[in-house]
Amino acid sequence: MKLAKTAVLLGLVLAAHAAGTAAAAAQATKKEAVALVEKGAAVLRTEGKARMIERINAKDPAFYLNDGALYLHMRDAKTAVMLAHPANPALIGKDLLDAPDTNGKYYRREIVELAATKGKGWVDYTYKNPASGKIEPKTTYILRVGDVTLEAGIYKN
């Protein structure tokens, strides 16, 4: 009986470890976000804006990684209107420049400003994490390429 309880407990511990390892593997890093944006920029320069929009919206596996744990999206660099978004197509065509995050931060304005002044960098804000269903701190790397910004964000937990 004691051996059976130990086996069940060990099974639960191993299952919890496996779930934690899978979650950690799915958690994207800043380095991966930068690499994804730079990869997108190279493709954008060679294939053009229309083709890049198609690929992003089609969840091209080159730009939609680990079941959406990390993905590339594109917005107009001046207006912040979303041009391509694989995880939430309802955002495409939306002008959300004046929509704040849950803390009142107008982070999309910051994205436009960063694109105009430095051309690349990180923007911090809060956003609903689809994996947890909770509002969490997020940071997004942006890179201006012509008249668009390419972006990839990660949750900071």
Side-chain angles (χ1 to χ4, degrees), residues 9 16 23 63 124 157:
L9 182 59
F63 305 110
D124 295 330
N157 54 0

Side-chain angles (χ1 to χ4, degrees), residues 59-121:
K59 294 185 180 181
D60 183 319
F63 305 110
Y64 189 81
L65 310 174
N66 298 331
D67 292 323
L70 181 64
Y71 56 84
L72 188 67
H73 57 281
M74 180 192 303
R75 75 175 80 230
D76 183 280
K78 291 183 182 176
T79 66
V81 169
M82 189 64 66
L83 301 174
H85 200 293
N88 191 351
L91 293 175
I92 298 169
K94 301 281 186 192
D95 177 0
L96 299 172
L97 192 61
D98 294 323
D101 73 0
T102 56
N103 293 325
K105 181 176 181 177
Y106 294 93
Y107 70 94
R108 293 172 186 96
R109 292 179 186 173
E110 191 174 328
I111 289 170
V112 169
E113 179 67 21
L114 184 60
T117 58
K118 296 183 181 177
K120 65 180 176 181

